[in-house]
Amino acid sequence: IEQRTKIGKKLSGVVIAMFSMMILANLDVVPGTAPTYDFVYAWVVPVAIPMFLFKANLVAIFKETGKTLIAFLLGGIGAMVGSVIMFFVLYRGPETFKLLGLFAATYVGGTINFVAISEILNISGDTLAAAVAADNVVMALAIIFLFLAPGIRWLAGKFKLDESEYREPGTKGPGEARFGGEDVVWTFTLAIVIAGGSMFIGTFIPK
């Protein structure tokens, strides 16, 4: 849909997938809870976290991101301030404290943070389901806006795009080695070892 239709290109595959799953879940085509979801939370996410971090080059990030890093820091501060404000505006009891931390974390670090904080704060049941629904709706609208924003002439005219400034740190040149199959195996294996070791060490930490 993303590649073959005009609206798909504007919305992106991420937004289409999010809205499709929300519709299917509300129609009971896809279950709201299932052992598969618990498996993803308990095993896939812990392995995915170190795999995400393998690609991070902190030195290159600080040297090459420039204004993007400043924008991210301002966005993170805005997310935390907004979460605190909405806590007082929409206070609904003790669970609101947990949702404050949950949304502040997810809007700074994404879905990985959402899953991790929900596990740490023991958010489950209807509260977690409502949080997931609210997060998906808000993020879908935000992503749609970000995809449509470059096409808004008034808004695009306010910013000058320098593609070299937004090049991904560590990008390989035409003649340099690429990430291959053997690298995938080693990365996945190392991620499992790190995730398993972290979970094992966590059993000795008192709650």
Side-chain angles (χ1 to χ4, degrees):
I1 296 176
E2 179 184 10
Q3 297 177 352
R4 297 183 180 181
T5 63
K6 292 182 178 180
I7 189 172
K9 293 178 180 179
K10 289 184 177 294
L11 293 179
S12 82
V14 175
V15 174
I16 294 172
M18 292 171 64
F19 274 115
S20 298
M21 291 307 298
M22 283 191 287
I23 293 172
L24 292 175
N26 281 278
L27 294 176
D28 290 330
V29 176
V30 176
T33 58
T36 305
Y37 304 158
D38 296 331
F39 174 80
V40 172
Y41 270 55
W43 297 98
V44 176
V45 172
V47 173
I49 291 174
M51 294 184 73
F52 274 120
L53 296 178
F54 285 155
K55 194 177 181 181
N57 185 333
L58 295 180
V59 176
I61 289 174
F62 280 102
K63 289 178 61 178
E64 299 180 21
T65 51
K67 296 179 180 179
T68 305
L69 179 60
I70 297 175
F72 173 79
L73 294 175
L74 292 175
I77 294 172
M80 290 186 288
V81 172
S83 298
V84 173
I85 293 174
M86 295 313 297
F87 167 78
F88 291 104
V89 174
L90 301 175
Y91 181 78
R92 294 294 184 274
E95 287 293 311
T96 313
F97 285 103
K98 296 182 179 181
L99 294 177
L100 166 63
L102 181 66
F103 286 117
T106 189
Y107 291 133
V108 172
T111 304
I112 295 294
N113 279 11
F114 185 96
V115 175
I117 296 300
S118 66
E119 289 288 324
I120 294 172
L121 299 180
N122 195 26
I123 303 174
S124 59
D126 294 339
T127 302
L128 180 60
V132 171
D135 178 56
N136 285 341
V137 171
V138 172
M139 287 308 301
L141 295 175
I143 292 173
I144 291 174
F145 171 76
L146 291 175
F147 272 94
L148 296 179
I152 303 175
R153 293 183 179 180
W154 175 85
L155 188 60
K158 301 294 182 180
F159 301 92
K160 294 182 179 180
L161 178 61
D162 182 2
E163 295 185 2
S164 62
E165 184 178 352
Y166 297 95
R167 180 178 60 84
E168 184 178 354
T171 302
K172 298 288 186 180
E176 298 183 45
R178 298 289 178 176
F179 193 77
E182 185 176 345
D183 298 314
V184 174
V185 174
W186 280 107
T187 300
F188 187 68
T189 302
L190 187 57
I192 293 177
V193 171
I194 294 175
S198 300
M199 295 170 70
F200 176 74
I201 294 173
T203 59
F204 296 98
I205 300 175
K207 296 183 179 180

